[in-house]
Amino acid sequence: MVQVPEVFTKFVSSFAGCMGGNPDAPIWLVCDHSFKCDLPMDPTVKFANPQTDVNKLLRPLQCGCKFSESVGRLVNAIVGNEPSQVDKVFSPAGEEKQQPVLMLSASPVCIGLLEPQAWIEKPAVKTDKGVVTMAEYTGLPTFKDFINFLIETRGALFRQTEEEKSPKIILCRDMLKANDYFKMFGADRTNVQANDFFLMAPVKREDGSVRTLVFVTDMLGFGADNMNFENELELRQAGEEIRHYAHNVFGDGWLGNYAGVFLK
């Protein structure tokens, strides 16, 4: 049996690397915004002080990422605000609870290690035996083994928090990873629906009712390098379709106080 270091297990099974926002928001965004770090890492420093309280993620989101415009436009289309008003999504300090989103990171591992070969080949962690790879340090021999470990451990916290907070929509980035996202949030993979813009599966309560809809899309970074009018139209269309899916399941008023000006 693999014995993963306890400090790393606690680090992975936390909100480490998450950007934050509004923990009570109706929309969660899940991306691979893993933190950057210099290698090799000292595990007693990099993996220390894991955060497991989602309420402590309350903070104003910065509008400086190259994906900010596409994220802002997509979310505004969902909640019914003017798409170009990204400040409706990324609110300043003091207005954190007005943000309609909570941004989570799918993985807390250094961005330079999020490749199969890097996991097994790149010297990454300082140990008493010298600098070793992530495969050697964690005991997880392949990157896929790490992904499965991530789904089990970090997914347990995400699922527990989703059940507690009951967001209406979880938007995950990268359709090629849809199955992993569905497993991470405990979505019903026998009930996946496909669309030009996304794949969707519901998270259900024990009585069979739907608590949350998990969408996996490539639209969160759409047009980031060269936003044009066609990109803007597609982002609006994708957001409106996501909203219609949610409305069909949750009915009128599902956005509560986060409904935008066009829905009030």
Side-chain angles (χ1 to χ4, degrees):
M1 176 180 288
V2 173
Q3 293 295 321
V4 181
E6 183 179 8
V7 67
F8 183 74
T9 298
K10 288 183 176 180
F11 175 73
V12 169
S13 56
S14 75
F15 292 112
C18 293
M19 290 67 71
N22 180 6
D24 294 316
I27 300 171
W28 289 3
L29 306 179
V30 186
C31 306
D32 274 331
H33 279 232
S34 302
F35 68 85
K36 296 179 181 179
C37 66
D38 296 325
L39 298 179
M41 301 177 287
D42 180 346
T44 64
V45 175
K46 285 297 181 182
F47 303 150
N49 303 315
Q51 178 57 258
T52 58
D53 184 353
V54 70
N55 294 308
K56 292 186 177 179
L57 293 182
L58 179 66
R59 62 180 67 111
L61 292 169
Q62 301 300 313
C63 187
C65 172
K66 70 176 184 177
F67 295 152
S68 293
E69 185 173 0
S70 59
V71 168
R73 286 181 174 276
L74 183 62
V75 172
N76 277 332
I78 294 171
V79 302
N81 276 323
E82 171 59 43
S84 62
Q85 290 184 291
V86 295
D87 60 327
K88 296 288 187 180
V89 179
F90 306 100
S91 297
E95 300 178 9
E96 295 91 339
K97 280 193 168 291
Q98 296 180 28
Q99 298 173 134
V101 295
L102 173 69
M103 299 188 73
L104 303 176
S105 178
S107 170
V109 172
C110 285
I111 198 166
L113 296 170
L114 295 179
E115 296 293 339
Q117 288 305 111
W119 186 262
I120 62 176
E121 294 179 356
K122 197 166 190 174
V125 184
K126 298 176 183 177
T127 71
D128 293 340
K129 298 179 180 180
V131 179
V132 299
T133 66
M134 288 298 290
E136 293 169 323
Y137 171 73
T138 64
L140 300 166
T142 69
F143 188 70
K144 182 60 178 175
D145 291 318
F146 166 65
I147 294 299
N148 291 335
F149 179 75
L150 186 76
I151 290 169
E152 177 185 354
T153 55
R154 196 170 181 87
L157 178 65
F158 282 9
R159 291 189 295 274
Q160 175 186 334
T161 308
E162 178 276 326
E163 184 174 0
E164 173 192 346
K165 293 293 187 179
S166 296
K168 295 298 187 289
I169 289 174
I170 299 176
L171 287 177
C172 306
R173 183 170 180 260
D174 194 345
M175 289 176 68
L176 293 177
K177 301 175 182 177
N179 195 49
D180 289 337
Y181 284 123
F182 291 151
K183 288 192 291 185
M184 177 169 276
F185 286 100
D188 180 3
R189 290 182 290 147
T190 67
N191 193 17
V192 175
Q193 298 183 44
N195 179 284
D196 288 342
F197 299 113
F198 49 75
L199 296 172
M200 186 279 291
V203 177
K204 296 182 178 179
R205 300 182 180 89
E206 290 186 2
D207 63 5
S209 62
V210 176
R211 184 171 59 235
T212 301
L213 297 176
V214 179
F215 294 86
V216 186
T217 180
D218 292 327
M219 303 298 289
L220 290 175
F222 187 68
D225 295 324
N226 186 25
M227 182 70 69
N228 57 45
F229 184 66
E230 289 185 0
N231 297 150
E232 294 173 6
L233 286 178
E234 288 195 56
L235 284 163
R236 177 178 294 187
Q237 184 179 355
E240 290 177 349
E241 290 198 28
I242 290 170
R243 185 209 306 160
H244 290 318
Y245 269 73
H247 181 269
N248 287 341
V249 173
F250 302 116
D252 294 339
W254 68 274
L255 275 166
N257 294 331
Y258 298 97
V261 293
F262 298 145
L263 300 181
K264 292 179 178 177

